[in-house]
Amino acid sequence: MKGSEQPEATPSASRAVRRAAPEMRLPRDVGDYTLLRRVASGGFGDVYLARRSATHESFVRPFAIKIIHPHLARDADFASMFADEVHVASLLQHPNICSCLDAGERDGFLLLVMEFLVGRTLREVLRELVRVGLPEEERVALALEVGVAVADALAYAHEVADPMSGEPLHLVHRDVCPANVFLGFDGRVSLLDFGIARFAGRSTETVTGTMKGHLAYMAPEQFSGPEINGRTDLWALGVLLHEALMGARLFRRDTDVRTMHAVLTEPVPDLPRAVPKPVAEVVRQMLMRDPGRRPASAAEVAEVLRAHAPGGAVVGTLGRLFPGAGEQERKEVREELFASPEQLSVEVPLEEDSRPSGARVGPPPSDEFAIAPDPEP
């Protein structure tokens, strides 16, 4: 687990690009999309800022296109996993879930087209928030606003049904963590990466003895067997909220074994007094190791959090933590979208990584960030 972690890949204009060797090239135009810049790279695919090749100049918009590494696209099992991700992404239409706009094979490449988001992951925000040392009240306000958005997204995802059959999918995200929550400079909060989601009718299932997700956010039942449901995601949201409210990691330790031991056995510290009592209580309930004692639904959690979330915290906090970054990044994207063909190079980089262990679709797991030093085990 620890040895197979890779940098995250998110549709953000702010991500640094990891270079790998050897490096391949691919055409500037893939299908009817023009690739402008690689903005993120991971073990399973690279994400590019792109535009449609042929569209009216008044209808130009940015896209985030994830192109699967060719050596994975040629693997039948991985192609089946990709089909599962596309199926789930095509069904999810919610303001707090990053939208999938297109998918398929273009010119021999497997790709997933998403809306392009400009902002920061919650992981980046929490790390910077602790480094700068913003007041506790501001941290609490941010955590509550983010919590409402993620709970709303989960409430929708847990109830979504297949439009053709009308049958519920019983969707479980399985990887709710700060790296998969995106905060836009415009204030929108988006839940990313349903690539390892579990749902009824999925063509690929987790192999017995393997686990999917970020260890420090996995519920105890994910370690012991396949019986998971929406309350599994509530545990992960509880961990995420606890960390955001405290400004410190909850279960992360220096090894995977110690992290698992902490998840399974160690007590959960009380939240600060600045946290409203109803919020502290619902977080405590989400972190019950017995799934049956957790809240009945994400909608129930969202209702409690919404009653205490002041609103406007995401915009205000990102503006203070990353002054001028939103305006600058939007400006850069606009310039690239309207660049003439002569201003674009002919080819863009494509990384051909060796197959990582525990391959999965979507941004690969990374549990490396620390929003505060981990306590001694």
Side-chain angles (χ1 to χ4, degrees), residues 51-377:
R51 70 188 184 199
R52 283 197 180 274
S53 306
T55 187
H56 194 277
E57 62 180 10
S58 63
F59 191 70
V60 176
R61 62 171 295 183
F63 298 94
I65 297 185
K66 179 164 65 176
I67 296 184
I68 304 302
H69 290 321
H71 70 282
L72 292 175
R74 293 189 294 266
D75 182 277
D77 290 338
F78 192 90
S80 181
M81 293 174 62
F82 178 78
D84 284 335
E85 179 177 10
V86 169
H87 177 63
V88 171
S90 68
L91 300 178
L92 299 177
Q93 301 294 325
H94 188 274
N96 296 120
I97 296 176
C98 182
S99 296
C100 174
L101 306 173
D102 192 8
E105 183 176 340
R106 303 288 192 281
D107 297 334
F109 295 99
L110 282 181
L111 55 85
L112 188 67
V113 182
M114 303 166 285
E115 57 180 323
F116 191 86
L117 306 176
V118 180
R120 299 289 187 271
T121 65
L122 180 60
R123 181 174 71 174
E124 296 172 291
V125 172
L126 292 178
R127 184 170 51 204
E128 187 68 10
L129 189 150
V130 171
R131 187 189 70 81
V132 172
L134 293 183
E136 184 177 69
E137 293 76 12
E138 185 165 353
R139 187 176 69 241
V140 170
L142 176 71
L144 292 176
E145 188 171 327
V146 170
V148 169
V150 176
D152 280 343
L154 290 175
Y156 164 80
H158 291 166
E159 298 297 326
V160 72
D162 189 307
M164 302 303 294
S165 66
E167 294 296 321
L169 288 177
H170 304 294
L171 184 64
V172 184
H173 187 284
R174 293 201 291 183
D175 200 17
V176 177
C177 64
N180 282 335
V181 176
F182 197 86
L183 280 58
F185 287 113
D186 59 359
R188 179 185 167 197
V189 178
S190 301
L191 181 59
L192 310 176
D193 189 16
F194 279 81
I196 68 168
R198 181 172 182 154
F199 61 93
R202 185 180 180 114
S203 60
T204 55
E205 293 294 340
T206 301
V207 177
T208 301
T210 65
M211 293 176 291
K212 294 187 176 184
H214 293 67
L215 274 179
Y217 302 89
M218 290 173 63
E221 62 267 24
Q222 288 178 274
F223 298 138
S224 59
E227 296 302 322
I228 64 173
N229 55 35
R231 285 175 169 172
T232 302
D233 285 339
L234 293 188
W235 168 279
L237 177 56
V239 178
L240 182 152
L241 275 172
H242 194 285
E243 293 185 343
L245 291 165
M246 290 285 285
R249 297 302 298 265
L250 181 54
F251 296 122
R252 174 70 189 274
R253 301 294 184 263
D254 59 346
T255 68
D256 289 342
V257 171
R258 290 180 176 180
T259 296
M260 293 173 64
H261 182 269
V263 170
L264 293 171
T265 66
E266 294 190 12
V268 176
D270 292 336
L271 290 169
R273 291 187 177 181
V275 179
K277 288 184 178 180
V279 172
E281 176 59 20
V282 79
V283 173
R284 186 189 69 83
Q285 292 173 4
M286 283 191 283
L287 293 173
M288 289 289 186
R289 290 185 168 91
D290 177 1
R293 300 179 64 186
R294 296 174 202 157
S297 68
E300 180 181 318
V301 173
E303 183 179 356
V304 174
L305 300 179
R306 187 175 287 108
H308 300 277
V314 171
V315 171
T317 301
L318 263 64
R320 281 184 284 279
L321 293 177
F322 310 99
E327 180 180 351
Q328 177 61 32
E329 290 174 14
R330 284 189 288 263
K331 178 176 179 292
E332 292 173 357
V333 171
R334 286 195 302 269
E335 290 175 349
E336 290 173 297
L337 283 178
F338 291 98
S340 66
E342 294 75 22
Q343 294 173 295
L344 299 174
S345 60
V346 177
E347 296 177 322
V348 291
L350 170 71
E351 294 188 20
E352 177 76 13
D353 291 341
S354 61
R355 178 191 299 272
S357 60
R360 71 178 191 127
V361 178
S366 176
D367 212 10
E368 62 192 7
F369 90 109
I371 58 178
D374 289 328
E376 289 295 324

